[in-house]
Amino acid sequence: MRKTISFLFLLALCSTRCFAVEGMWLPQLLQALNEKDMKKAGMKISAADIYSINKSSLKDAIVSLGGFCTAEVISDKGLILTNHHCGFDAIQNHSSLTSNYIKDGFWAYNKDQELTNPGLTASFVIRIEEVTKAVLEGVTAAMNERERQSQADKNINGLKSTAKKEAWQDILIRPMFDGNKYFLFVTETYKDVRLVGAPPAAIGNFGKDTDNWMWPRHTGDFSMFRIYMGKDGRPAEYAADNVPYQPKRALKISLRGLKPGDFTMVMGFPGRTNEYLYSKAVQQIMDVLDPAKIGIREKALHILDGFMRRDEGIKIQYAAKYASIENAYKKWKGEVLGLKSKDAVGRKKAVESAFEKIVLSKSEQNIGYVNLLKNLEQAYTAIEPYAYARDYYNEISQKIEVFAIASQLSNLPRAIQKNGEGAFPALLAQAQAAADAFFKEYNATVDQKLMEVLMAMYVKDQPAANVSPYYKNLLAQHDNDHAKVAAALFSQSRLISPERVKTLLQGDAKTVSAAIMNDPALQLAADMQQAYLTNAGTKLAELQTNLNRLQRTYMQAQMDVFSSKTFYPDANSTLRLTYGNVKPYTPRDGVQYDCYTYLDGVMEKYKPGDYEFDVPAKLIELYNKKDFGAYGANGRQPVCFIASNHTTGGNSGSPALDANGNLVGLNFDRVWEGTMSDINYDPDICRNIMVDIRYVLFIVDKFAGAKNLIAEMTIVK
Ligand code: ARG
Ligand code: ASP
C-alpha cells in the first residue's frame, strides 16, 4: 500500500496477514497477479505448472462434476476422486435392500464391476480468455439494463460461433465482477462416468448432521468414479465398449502429510460468493433474511426430527431431505454468528468511509461515484420488505411437500392446453412417473403437520396484504385454526397418496386436467404464488434490476478507487484456485483448535448402534491392531485437517495440493464459525476442512482391500 490512506482502511483490507489469504483466483491470471505472493506463502512450483495452454498443467486434472461439485483425476486410466456427499446420489441410486451401498459401501475390484450413472458428467477446462471488450461492444451508458443485456447476449452468441475450438468442445462465457468483465471458457465434457468406490456412510458421512460444518471433524468424505471416453478418444455417451479416459494430467499423491504453517492450495469450482456488498446488504442478510430462513427451517426440522425419532420408516424416507434442509440451516446460523462476532458491517462501513474520502478528494476522476453509497443505501432499504417476502415465500412453499407434486402435475394440463390432447398418453405416463418418485420419500402425516405449522408462520410473520386470499378464506371457514385447515385440505386433496393420485389420473384428457387444476392443494399453491408475485415478486424484480446496475457500478468503483488492491471476482461456478496455510484457529476466548484429527478421535466419538456415530467393525479392528500400513504417521492414523484456503459450496471434492502440487487431501467443508466467508472472509476464523489423503488411501487399501485402485495411482516418495 503506497497510498496514504486511513489506518482503519489499512486494517480492514490487510488485517493480520503477510500475504493475501482471501481470494478465489482465476488460474490464467495467477502468473500476473499471484505467483510472487504464492511463493512468499511457500509454493515451490510456478504459475505455469498450474495453468498453461502450451503444456499439461494441474488444471488438466481438475473436473467439474455434474456442475455441482469438484473432482480430480488421480490415475492415467481416468480414475477420479470426489466427496462421498458429491457421489451420494449415484451411490443411493445403485442401492437396494439387498445391496445397500450406502450402508455397506461399494468397491469395484475390476472395471467390469463399475456402475454407470446416466446424466452424470465430468468437464475439463481447456482454455480461459478475457472477452470483455467483445461482449460489451456497442453497449453504452445510456442503455437500460434490458438493452445492455440484449446487446451483450448478441455479442456472446457471436463469440460462441466464432471462437476457436474443436468440434467436441463447448464455449461458456461468464460475467465476472458483477458484469464489468467477461471471460470465455473452452470446456470438454465426458458423459460416461462410472461409480468405482465408496466407503460405508459410517465412514463417508461419519458424524452426519451433528458434525456437519464443525471442527474437529472425523469424516472420510470421499468416493471414486472413472471417466470413460469413446474409442476415438473423444467424449461419448455411455457405451459398453467405451474405454477409460486418458488424461492430459493425473495428480501425484504425497503421503508425507502437512504440518501447521505449510503451504496448501485448493483448485475447483466454487459456486457463489458475495464479497463486495454494500454494508446495508450485509446487515440485511444478518438481521433480516438469514434469520427469516433460519426460523422457518428450525420449525420444519423440529417437525421432521420428531417423526423420524418415532418411526424407523420415516427416518429412512426423510434422511436425505432432513440433511439438505439442515445443511443450509446450519450454515446460515454460523454465517450470522461470524458476521456478528467479526463486526462485518462495521468493517464494511470503515471501507466505505475510506472509499468516500478518496472519491471526494479526487472528484474529477470519480465524479460518477459521488452519490453511489447514498443510492445503494436507498436501494437496499427499498428492497428489504420484498426480499423478505421472497425468502419467506420460497422457504415455506418449498418445505410443504405436496406443493412440489402439485407443481409437477400441473405440467399436464398446461402442456395439453399448449400442444393439444395428442400428447396425453405420454404426459400421463410422465405424471405417473413423477408421482411414483415423489411418494417414495413422502409421508402425508408429516406433510400435514408441516403445512399446519408453516402456514401459521406464513400468516403471522408477514403483512396481511402478502397472504394468499384463498388461504385467508380457508382460515375463515375453519375457526381461524391452521390445524383444521391442514386437516381439511389433506382429507380433500387427491395429491397426498399414490392411491389418490391413481384415481386423479383416471379419465380422458379433459377430466384429468380439470381434476388436477381443481385440487385444493394445487389451488392453494397457485394462489400463494399469485399473491407473492402481485404483492412482492414483480416489484422485487424491478428493484433488483436497479440494484444490479448499482452493484456493478460499485464493483467497478471499488476497483478504481482502491487501485493498489488486487481484486478477485466473486465465485460463479468457474474454475478457481485459492491458497493458504495449514493453520489452527481460535473460535472464541480461551479455545484453540488444532489443525489435525486422528482415528483416535473417531473412536472417542464412537457410539455403538448410533445413527450418526457408529463405526464399522473392520475399522475398529484396524484401529486396535494399529494396522495403518504406509498411511499412518508416528503410530497414528491422520483423518482430517484444516487450512486458511478460501472455499465455498461447489469446492466440495476439490483437491488440496501441497507446495509441489501433489495431492495431500480432499476438500469437503468449512468450520462453523467461518461460514460467513461467502460474504466476509476473515483470516482469523475462516478455515476449510479436508480429509487427509492418507485416510482416503488407508480406507481404500486396508479397509476395502481395493489394491487394484492403489496400483493405478502415482505415489511420490
Ligand atoms: N457442509 C458441507 C457442504 O456444504 C457438507 C454437507 C454434506 N454432509 C452432511 N452431513 N449433510 O456441502
Ligand atoms: N460442503 C460444501 C460443498 O459441498 C463446501 C463448503 O461449503 O465449504 O461444496
Side-chain angles (χ1 to χ4, degrees), residues 58 61-62 72-75 249-253 655 657 661-663 714:
L58 289 176
I62 315 300
E72 52 277 353
V73 182
I74 54 167
S75 92
R249 170 65 75 99
L251 296 179
K252 293 186 176 122
I253 295 171
L657 304 164
N662 294 323
L663 184 67
T714 304

Side-chain angles (χ1 to χ4, degrees), residues 426-485:
L427 289 166
L428 204 57
Q430 258 173 34
Q432 190 59 58
D436 291 346
F438 176 78
F439 286 115
K440 261 190 222 155
E441 295 183 350
Y442 183 76
N443 178 296
T445 312
V446 175
D447 199 24
Q448 184 178 325
K449 192 73 190 169
L450 284 170
M451 178 180 282
E452 173 194 328
V453 172
L454 298 184
M455 289 308 287
M457 293 184 88
Y458 171 78
V459 172
K460 184 172 124 313
D461 297 343
Q462 292 201 94
N466 284 9
V467 173
S468 134
Y470 185 89
Y471 191 75
K472 281 185 192 159
N473 194 21
L474 285 176
L475 209 49
Q477 286 167 20
H478 293 91
D479 312 326
N480 264 320
D481 184 337
H482 297 282
K484 284 187 186 163
V485 176

Side-chain angles (χ1 to χ4, degrees), residues 521-543:
L522 188 139
Q523 294 251 322
L524 174 58
D527 196 63
M528 282 173 70
Q529 184 183 38
Q530 193 52 50
Y532 164 69
L533 289 175
T534 321
N535 300 310
T538 311
K539 183 71 182 167
L540 179 76
E542 180 193 316
L543 292 171

Side-chain angles (χ1 to χ4, degrees), residues 5 11 15 35 96 151 161 173 178 186 294 312 315 336 367 425 430 472 490 522 587 625 653 657 699 705:
I5 41 180
L11 200 73
S15 185
E35 189 175 38
S96 63
Q151 179 65 33
S161 60
I173 295 173
D178 296 314
V186 179
I294 289 167
E312 193 62 26
K315 189 159 112 182
V336 170
I367 199 84
Q430 258 173 34
K472 281 185 192 159
F490 272 72
L522 188 139
K625 286 200 285 203
L657 304 164
I699 296 295

Side-chain angles (χ1 to χ4, degrees), residues 332-642:
W332 292 324
K333 281 187 81 166
E335 186 168 273
V336 170
L337 189 91
L339 290 172
K340 284 198 173 138
S341 79
K342 289 293 170 183
D343 188 23
V345 173
R347 288 203 213 177
K348 287 276 182 198
K349 283 189 171 153
V351 173
E352 284 154 16
S353 76
F355 172 88
E356 196 89 306
K357 252 190 215 137
I358 299 174
V359 166
L360 291 177
S361 72
K362 294 192 282 175
S363 51
E364 332 77 72
Q365 270 157 273
N366 298 316
I367 199 84
Y369 302 149
V370 169
N371 288 316
L372 187 53
L373 297 183
K374 218 185 299 154
N375 293 339
L376 280 161
E377 181 78 25
Q378 275 168 7
Y380 276 107
T381 307
I383 209 168
E384 186 165 299
Y386 303 100
Y388 175 86
R390 171 201 59 207
D391 285 3
Y392 232 75
Y393 168 71
N394 282 342
E395 276 294 318
I396 288 186
S397 62
Q398 286 162 13
K399 297 294 160 305
I400 299 171
E401 300 175 83
V402 67
F403 293 166
I405 189 67
S407 148
Q408 276 180 304
L409 293 189
S410 70
N411 288 334
L412 186 147
R414 231 180 288 129
I416 286 182
Q417 208 170 40
K418 208 170 134 214
N419 308 319
E421 292 185 13
F424 182 57
L427 289 166
L428 204 57
Q430 258 173 34
Q432 190 59 58
D436 291 346
F438 176 78
F439 286 115
K440 261 190 222 155
E441 295 183 350
Y442 183 76
N443 178 296
T445 312
V446 175
D447 199 24
Q448 184 178 325
K449 192 73 190 169
L450 284 170
M451 178 180 282
E452 173 194 328
V453 172
L454 298 184
M455 289 308 287
M457 293 184 88
Y458 171 78
V459 172
K460 184 172 124 313
D461 297 343
Q462 292 201 94
N466 284 9
V467 173
S468 134
Y470 185 89
Y471 191 75
K472 281 185 192 159
N473 194 21
L474 285 176
L475 209 49
Q477 286 167 20
H478 293 91
D479 312 326
N480 264 320
D481 184 337
H482 297 282
K484 284 187 186 163
V485 176
L489 209 131
F490 272 72
S491 85
Q492 286 157 19
S493 171
R494 285 202 276 169
L495 303 180
I496 56 115
S497 76
E499 297 76 28
R500 290 194 197 177
V501 166
K502 208 166 181 183
T503 67
L504 178 86
L505 295 180
Q506 248 145 43
D508 58 15
K510 274 201 190 67
T511 316
V512 172
S513 294
I516 292 175
M517 293 315 286
N518 292 328
D519 190 274
L522 188 139
Q523 294 251 322
L524 174 58
D527 196 63
M528 282 173 70
Q529 184 183 38
Q530 193 52 50
Y532 164 69
L533 289 175
T534 321
N535 300 310
T538 311
K539 183 71 182 167
L540 179 76
E542 180 193 316
L543 292 171
Q544 191 64 54
T545 305
N546 174 45
L547 243 182
N548 292 349
R549 186 186 192 95
L550 281 173
Q551 182 60 36
R552 187 174 66 240
T553 309
Y554 185 42
M555 184 72 248
Q556 185 61 53
Q558 293 179 67
M559 295 194 282
D560 290 347
V561 167
F562 303 135
S563 53
S564 59
K565 185 183 165 184
T566 312
F567 285 82
Y568 62 94
D570 269 319
N572 59 356
S573 297
T574 55
L575 182 61
R576 304 296 177 89
L577 179 140
T578 166
Y579 56 97
N581 301 104
V582 176
K583 219 172 165 188
Y585 77 109
T586 296
R588 47 192 180 277
D589 188 33
V591 178
Q592 167 144 342
Y593 283 131
D594 282 346
C595 304
Y596 266 94
T597 59
Y598 296 87
L599 198 53
D600 312 67
V602 173
M603 297 310 297
E604 282 169 13
K605 286 178 176 173
Y606 172 41
K607 280 192 224 154
D610 186 74
Y611 161 71
E612 300 187 296
F613 292 102
D614 205 359
V615 177
K618 176 83 186 279
L619 188 57
I620 300 175
E621 189 189 313
L622 289 166
Y623 173 75
N624 287 336
K625 286 200 285 203
K626 292 201 182 318
D627 188 3
F628 307 140
Y631 314 110
N634 305 318
R636 302 170 83 193
Q637 177 58 56
V639 175
C640 291
F641 65 109
I642 50 171

Side-chain angles (χ1 to χ4, degrees), residues 234-299:
R234 305 272 156 81
E237 296 293 336
Y238 169 80
D241 62 350
N242 279 348
V243 297
Y245 170 68
Q246 268 174 24
K248 281 193 230 138
R249 170 65 75 99
L251 296 179
K252 293 186 176 122
I253 295 171
S254 165
L255 300 183
R256 261 170 292 181
L258 300 183
K259 49 182 198 317
D262 280 354
F263 176 85
T264 157
M265 56 190 174
V266 170
M267 228 176 155
F269 294 84
R272 187 89 202 97
T273 59
N274 285 293
E275 311 285 355
Y276 302 101
L277 292 175
Y278 174 68
S279 54
K280 171 91 188 169
V282 176
Q283 186 235 320
Q284 201 163 83
I285 291 169
M286 184 175 90
D287 292 340
V288 181
L289 304 179
D290 274 1
K293 295 185 289 187
I294 289 167
I296 294 165
R297 288 194 179 212
E298 197 153 77
K299 284 255 169 71

Side-chain angles (χ1 to χ4, degrees), residues 85 205 207-213 217 221 323-324 326-327 331 649-650 652 668-670:
H85 78 263
N205 193 10
K208 297 221 169 56
D209 301 319
T210 300
D211 272 11
N212 191 23
W213 298 112
R217 192 66 153 273
D221 195 347
S324 124
E326 195 266 0
N327 193 40
K331 191 211 136 174
S652 273
F668 70 99
D669 209 2
R670 281 170 284 162

